[in-house]
């Protein structure tokens, strides 16, 4: 039978017996000042009858402690601060960090277990512990405070000090938000259906055993060390900018689903649309999904999903936190050391100290875009769309090497491809004359970590920043010139990475210029200082983790093109778009054409103009048609999305020695390896450009060659088709695509043809085609 002694204050003293505590005061009774005398008397009467948690039969004497139930609800941060103030003389600050537990129970049995754990913690040496219990049955929250065995006067003193600390809670620590954060928050605050905007996800496979408790403890340790993970936003609904609130503690949200409980694609979509309560800390959560037996040939596999909000974290930051998590997991869920500095407070102070005069002057001198991606708003379309294409590791290496020869990176190549597509879309939409220059505009991301703040490269936060750029594209512009212009434009932004896109637009010299409708992102990830050691230590526990893959963010831009490298070195391109502003077919076409341009860039002669590049690479590819029939969703019998790239690609082995020298195009036999012809280019003696017409998959029809060959056959320069054994019929059919008055020359090689035989044809091919 449970014995209880009550004071006249809103507290309950529970002593002895099995726990089944109920509130001891009526709910309508207002709290009064604690009567210390009554508490002393109650404690004196029960000094020898303290709380004993239930113990299994045969166990030793259970620990005894005093349990106090407070009849008023307090915020967890207020409780934690009060407990720290009361127990200021405790043995270790790290021990006091977990003075308040937050638990969820399903009924009295669950409460018994929680209170037993509380007793064990006090028996282990803690003087004061509290647990905030939420009952899932009715959603009520109850607070219990445990006091280790002590004289009644000392216990009463602790209760009185706790009441005083709760009556005068400390002011919360607040930090001003950045301009970038304020702009993102304005797009989601007050919107019941935010559609997962600014919610990003990283996923990967975890091979080997995964202990959920250890996994959660490791993230808890990272949360305790990282201020940004204990931060949330707050705002006044009537006026003012939102601000950041730094909480004392935050509990990670970790959920594990057994195999078959939910499909992976459904989990991704549901978790993204779930969003976050921005007023509560922990704007990062983890979800685990166990794989089926068919996927466990080499041991258990668990799919891990990290979801976070871009107003608090960016992709670089989450990868930094993931490195810390792995270290904590390897050490049993405990991360050594204290809080990371610098943190979001230091970054906010740095931003507050910046003068904006130089930035205003910089943006006032920049020319805004006159053409952006045309849109076709349609309220009948809803939600967001996503599509993905991939460049193979070989294609990615070629692209990176080609860009490097022109003093640029693959990010500039990605931007150049997008600029060409915007130029083409603007001309098609507005029916511009082909000789007119167009200044196209879009947004690119900068890291935000180029600022002079020590340790900024290891600081987690919302630093990655989209800024607008514009570039002038003329029909005579070459791709290397476009690369250089984009590279220099992005480099100019380096000194002002901390400026938000809204500020840049307001300060622009031409505010009437259009805001960009698209964003181009190249994902980078920080290098782990001890990456190999981490892999080795994980392998010692039978664990192998794959490289995290982003799923794509639904940003404030109508379409976002994001690129990242996968574990094999392939370059993965992903678009996410707002269906209400851009049709699915247009978005997929833009993605496919971007991938095709990136594959083609390394093969293009350096002197080709923009108009020639578009004709030779995108002939036959439709330009996006905003407002056209493609805006309507396809029916159930509609074909799948267009294939990734054309059926035939032109691979340039050697560029022409002079303008007008013409082309020698090799048609390889079926199933010929890719290594058959590249060596021939080194010994080619002719002035012509040497190329290979490679089918993408299987023998294509002669009409499939038209998009590639049409621009070449229409030019006055001579073209010769050289067909190996087995490709003669195809060569003659392809030749018929040319003008009847000036068809291309067709040359058939014997079965045993050597490279020297092709070299001997160079003088003949240099002359005019025979009559």
């Amino acid at each position: 039978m449970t014995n209880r002694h009550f004071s006249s204050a809103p507290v309950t003293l529970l002593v002895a017996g099995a726990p089944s505590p109920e509130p001891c005061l009526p709910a309508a009774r207002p709290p009064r000042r604690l009567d210390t005398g009554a508490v002393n008397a109650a404690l004196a009467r029960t000094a020898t009858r303290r709380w004993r948690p239930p113990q299994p039969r045969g166990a030793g004497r259970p620990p005894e402690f005093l349990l106090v139930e407070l009849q008023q609800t307090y915020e967890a941060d207020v409780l934690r601060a009060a407990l720290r103030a009361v127990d200021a003389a405790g043995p270790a600050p790290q021990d006091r960090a977990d003075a308040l537990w937050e638990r969820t129970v399903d009924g009295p049995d669950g409460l018994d277990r929680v209170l037993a754990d509380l007793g064990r913690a006090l028996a282990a040496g803690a003087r004061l512990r509290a647990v905030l219990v939420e009952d899932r049955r009715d959603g009520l929250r109850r607070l219990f405070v445990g006091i280790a065995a002590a004289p009644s006067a000392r216990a009463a003193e602790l209760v009185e000090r706790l009441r005083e600390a709760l009556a005068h809670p400390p002011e919360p620590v607040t930090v001003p938000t950045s301009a970038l954060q304020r702009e993102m928050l304005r797009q989601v605050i007050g919107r019941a259906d935010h559609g997962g905007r600014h919610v990003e996800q990283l996923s990967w496979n975890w091979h080997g055993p995964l202990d959920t408790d250890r996994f959660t403890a490791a993230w808890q340790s990272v949360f305790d060390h990282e201020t940004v993970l204990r931060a949330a936003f707050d705002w006044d609904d009537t006026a003012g900018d939102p601000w950041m609130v730094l909480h004392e503690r935050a509990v990670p949200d970790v959920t594990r689903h057994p195999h078959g409980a939910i499909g992976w694609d459904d989990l991704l979509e549901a978790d993204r649309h779930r969003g976050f309560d921005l007023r509560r800390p922990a704007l990062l959560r983890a979800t685990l999904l166990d794989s089926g037996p068919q996927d466990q040939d080499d041991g258990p596999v668990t799919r891990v999903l990290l979801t976070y909000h871009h107003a608090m974290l960016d992709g670089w930051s989450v990868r930094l936190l993931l490195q810390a998590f792995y270290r904590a997991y390897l050490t049993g869920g405990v991360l050594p050391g204290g809080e990371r500095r610098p943190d979001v407070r230091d970054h906010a102070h740095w931003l507050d100290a910046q003068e904006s005069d130089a930035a205003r002057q910089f943006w006032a001198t920049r020319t805004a875009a006159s053409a952006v991606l045309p849109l076709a708003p349609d309220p009948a379309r809803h939600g967001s769309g996503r599509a993905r294409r991939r460049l193979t590791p070989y294609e990615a290496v070629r692209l990176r090497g080609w860009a490097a020869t022109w003093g640029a990176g693959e990010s500039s190549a990605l931007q150049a491809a997008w600029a060409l597509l915007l130029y083409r879309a603007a001309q098609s939409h507005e029916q511009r004359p082909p000789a007119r220059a167009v200044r196209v505009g879009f947004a690119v991301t900068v890291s935000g970590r180029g600022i002079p703040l020590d340790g900024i490269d290891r600081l987690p936060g919302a630093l990655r920043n989209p800024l607008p750029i514009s570039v002038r594209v003329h029909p005579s512009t070459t791709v290397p010139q476009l690369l250089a212009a984009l590279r220099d434009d992005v480099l100019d932004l380096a000194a002002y990475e901390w400026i938000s896109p809204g500020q840049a637009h307001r300060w622009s010299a031409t505010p009437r210029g259009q805001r960009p409708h698209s964003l181009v992102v190249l994902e980078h990830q920080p290098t782990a200082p001890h990456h190999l050691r981490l892999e080795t230590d994980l392998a010692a526990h039978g664990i192998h983790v794959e490289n995290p893959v982003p799923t794509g963010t639904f940003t404030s831009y109508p379409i976002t093109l994001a690129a990242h490298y996968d574990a094999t070195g392939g370059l993965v391109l992903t678009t996410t778009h707002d269906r209400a502003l851009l049709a699915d077919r247009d978005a997929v076409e833009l993605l496919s054409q971007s991938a095709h341009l990136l594959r083609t860039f390394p093969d293009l002669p350096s002197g080709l103009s923009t108009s020639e590049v578009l004709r030779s690479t995108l002939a036959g590819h439709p330009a996006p048609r905003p407002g056209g029939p493609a805006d309507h969703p396809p029916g159930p019998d509609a074909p799948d999305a267009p294939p990734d790239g054309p059926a035939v690609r032109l691979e340039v082995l050697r560029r022409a020695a002079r303008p007008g020298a013409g082309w020698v195009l090799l048609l390889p036999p079926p199933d010929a390896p890719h290594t058959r012809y590249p060596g021939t280019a080194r010994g080619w003696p002719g002035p012509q450009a040497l190329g290979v017409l490679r089918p993408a998959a299987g023998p294509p029809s002669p009409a499939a060659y038209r998009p590639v060959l049409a621009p070449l056959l229409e030019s006055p320069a001579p073209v010769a088709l050289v067909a190996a054994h087995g490709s003669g019929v195809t060569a003659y059919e392809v030749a018929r695509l040319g003008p009847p008055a000036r068809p291309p020359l067709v040359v058939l090689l014997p079965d045993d043809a050597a490279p020297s035989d092709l070299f001997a044809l160079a003088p003949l091919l240099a002359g005019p085609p025979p009559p």
Side-chain angles (χ1 to χ4, degrees):
M1 183 173 186
T2 302
N3 297 314
R4 300 184 178 86
H5 293 270
F6 312 129
S7 75
S8 58
V11 300
T12 303
L13 305 181
L14 305 177
V15 292
S20 57
E22 298 86 19
C24 302
L25 298 177
R29 181 173 178 177
R32 298 183 295 170
R33 182 174 179 81
L34 183 67
D35 187 340
T36 307
V39 173
N40 282 334
L43 291 173
R45 291 194 301 270
T46 62
T48 59
R49 305 180 66 185
R50 299 179 180 276
W51 175 267
R52 294 182 181 180
Q55 296 286 318
R57 186 181 300 272
R61 182 178 178 83
E64 296 179 347
F65 64 98
L66 178 70
L67 188 66
V68 180
E69 180 184 3
L70 299 186
Q71 302 295 309
Q72 186 173 344
T73 302
Y74 299 92
E75 291 294 331
D77 276 4
V78 174
L79 288 168
R80 196 166 280 112
L83 290 166
R84 188 172 58 253
V86 170
D87 199 25
Q94 186 174 359
D95 186 54
R96 295 196 306 271
D98 198 23
L100 176 69
W101 304 347
E102 297 182 64
R103 299 290 188 267
T104 302
V105 299
D106 293 319
D109 292 343
L111 184 59
D112 289 354
R113 290 190 294 270
V114 170
L115 296 181
D117 290 341
L118 189 66
R120 281 189 284 270
L122 293 167
R127 298 194 313 161
L128 190 67
R129 282 290 183 270
V131 57
L132 187 61
V133 180
E134 180 175 352
D135 196 325
R136 285 178 176 160
R137 297 175 301 174
D138 50 20
L140 294 179
R141 304 178 79 193
R142 303 168 66 181
L143 174 65
F144 298 93
V145 179
I147 304 173
S152 59
R154 175 59 177 162
E157 179 189 354
L158 288 176
V159 174
E160 172 65 11
R161 289 174 56 192
L162 180 61
R163 190 205 66 78
E164 290 290 344
L166 291 172
H168 303 90
E171 291 293 326
V173 178
T174 61
V175 175
T177 52
S178 67
L180 174 64
Q181 288 176 312
R182 293 193 291 271
E183 291 172 16
M184 283 193 285
L185 291 173
R186 290 190 192 108
Q187 296 164 8
V188 296
I189 289 177
R191 293 187 57 179
D193 182 17
H194 51 75
R197 193 180 297 273
H198 298 304
V199 174
E200 173 66 291
Q201 295 171 308
L202 282 178
S203 64
W204 68 97
N205 287 335
W206 176 298
H207 300 266
L210 193 157
D211 186 322
T212 307
D213 292 338
R214 188 172 182 173
F215 187 95
T216 305
W219 273 117
Q220 182 65 72
S221 184
V222 176
F223 273 52
D224 293 340
H225 284 72
E226 301 290 352
T227 309
V228 69
L229 292 178
R230 305 192 306 275
F233 297 104
D234 203 356
W235 57 88
D236 187 339
D237 292 328
T238 58
D241 289 328
W243 59 90
M244 245 190 303
V245 181
L246 307 185
H247 294 258
E248 291 288 336
R249 186 173 173 81
V251 179
D253 183 352
V254 178
T255 305
R256 187 163 191 168
H257 297 287
H259 173 67
I262 187 173
W264 179 249
D265 292 337
D266 294 336
L267 175 62
L268 289 176
E269 192 68 14
D271 194 70
R272 185 171 69 87
H273 281 278
R274 172 186 167 192
F276 290 92
D277 181 355
L278 297 177
R279 293 186 188 265
R280 302 189 65 179
L283 300 184
L284 176 145
R285 61 174 173 262
T287 307
L288 310 175
L289 180 62
D290 294 328
S291 63
Q294 69 277 6
D295 300 323
Q296 300 187 11
D297 295 338
D298 299 326
V301 179
T302 307
R303 303 193 78 170
V304 184
L305 175 66
L306 282 187
T307 306
Y308 58 95
H309 202 283
H310 259 166
M312 191 65 74
L313 295 164
D314 56 22
W316 182 280
S317 302
V318 175
R319 287 176 170 86
L320 287 175
L321 298 174
L322 192 55
Q323 294 172 11
F325 160 77
Y326 285 140
R327 293 197 301 272
Y329 191 89
L330 287 169
T331 54
V334 178
L335 193 63
E339 286 189 347
R340 180 199 298 271
R341 296 302 290 266
D343 62 4
V344 290
R345 292 166 289 187
D346 303 288
H347 183 249
H349 295 154
W350 186 91
L351 288 177
D352 188 57
Q354 302 310 303
E355 296 289 342
S356 62
D357 293 343
R360 289 174 181 268
Q361 184 177 0
F362 169 78
W363 288 103
T365 60
R366 296 176 67 85
T367 306
S370 59
V372 294
L373 181 67
L375 301 176
D378 186 347
R381 298 191 302 252
H382 302 282
S384 60
R386 180 182 288 109
R388 179 163 290 184
R389 296 289 183 267
R390 180 178 182 270
L391 272 64
T392 65
Y394 172 73
E395 292 169 334
V397 168
R398 291 185 71 231
L399 176 68
R400 190 162 57 246
W402 168 81
T405 60
W406 300 108
E410 59 268 49
S411 60
S412 297
L414 185 67
Q415 295 158 14
W418 196 251
L420 288 175
L421 294 179
L422 296 187
Y423 170 75
R424 184 170 181 249
Q427 287 200 335
S428 173
H429 180 64
E430 302 181 12
Q431 297 182 349
R432 297 174 181 268
R436 180 176 175 180
V438 178
R439 180 168 287 276
V440 300
F442 52 97
V444 299
T445 56
V446 292
S447 69
R449 291 176 166 79
I451 62 176
L453 175 63
D454 289 341
I456 188 66
D457 60 322
R458 310 296 295 180
L459 188 154
L463 277 69
R464 194 181 75 180
N465 195 9
L467 291 176
I469 64 171
S470 64
V471 62
R472 183 176 179 271
V473 183
H474 191 274
S476 62
T477 303
T478 64
V479 174
Q481 290 172 340
L482 192 58
L483 275 179
L486 288 165
R487 176 202 60 201
D488 296 343
D489 205 25
V490 174
L491 287 176
D492 289 342
L493 303 178
Y496 306 101
E497 292 186 355
W498 48 278
I499 297 298
S500 72
Q503 290 173 320
H505 183 75
R506 290 194 303 271
W507 297 343
S508 174
T510 54
R512 66 181 181 277
Q514 300 186 57
R515 286 179 179 267
H517 289 166
S518 54
L519 172 65
V520 178
V521 181
L522 178 61
E523 295 276 1
H524 291 285
Q525 65 181 59
T527 56
H530 308 293
H531 176 69
L532 292 178
R533 192 176 72 187
L534 274 176
E535 283 193 345
T536 303
D537 292 344
L538 287 169
H541 290 76
I543 299 170
H544 167 67
V545 291
E546 297 179 1
N547 195 43
V549 176
T551 62
T553 310
F554 183 30
T555 68
S556 59
Y557 295 87
I559 184 170
T560 299
L561 172 65
H564 72 272
Y565 285 98
D566 60 18
T568 65
L571 187 63
V572 181
L573 308 178
T574 305
T575 56
T576 53
H577 67 281
D578 188 342
R579 286 194 171 106
L581 299 174
L582 192 67
D584 287 347
R585 180 172 178 178
D586 289 334
V588 172
E589 193 63 45
L590 285 167
L591 174 62
S592 296
Q593 293 178 22
S594 299
H596 178 49
L597 284 173
L598 294 176
R599 293 188 183 100
T600 307
F601 277 164
D603 297 329
L604 293 176
S606 59
L608 279 186
S609 66
T610 296
S611 57
E612 292 172 327
V613 169
L614 293 175
R615 282 201 307 268
S616 61
T617 59
L618 297 181
H621 290 257
R625 297 174 294 167
D631 291 340
H632 301 288
D637 298 328
D640 295 335
D644 186 6
V648 177
R649 293 193 294 115
L650 172 59
E651 179 182 335
V652 180
L653 303 179
R654 179 171 173 174
R655 297 185 176 92
R658 62 176 185 271
W663 288 83
V664 174
L665 303 176
L666 307 175
L667 275 70
D671 303 325
H674 281 252
T675 57
R676 175 168 183 143
Y677 292 110
T680 307
R682 292 191 294 268
W684 175 246
Q688 306 91 341
L690 188 64
V692 181
L693 295 172
R694 292 197 185 277
S701 65
Y705 289 83
R706 185 184 302 278
V708 177
L709 284 178
L712 304 181
L713 298 177
E714 293 172 1
S715 67
V719 176
L721 299 174
V722 179
H725 177 73
S727 301
V729 175
T730 301
Y732 281 110
E733 293 292 335
V734 170
R736 298 177 61 181
L737 299 175
R742 193 170 45 84
L745 177 67
V746 177
V747 179
L748 299 180
L749 296 177
D751 296 350
D752 56 350
S756 57
D757 297 327
L758 181 61
F759 299 158
L761 294 173
L764 172 64
L765 298 178

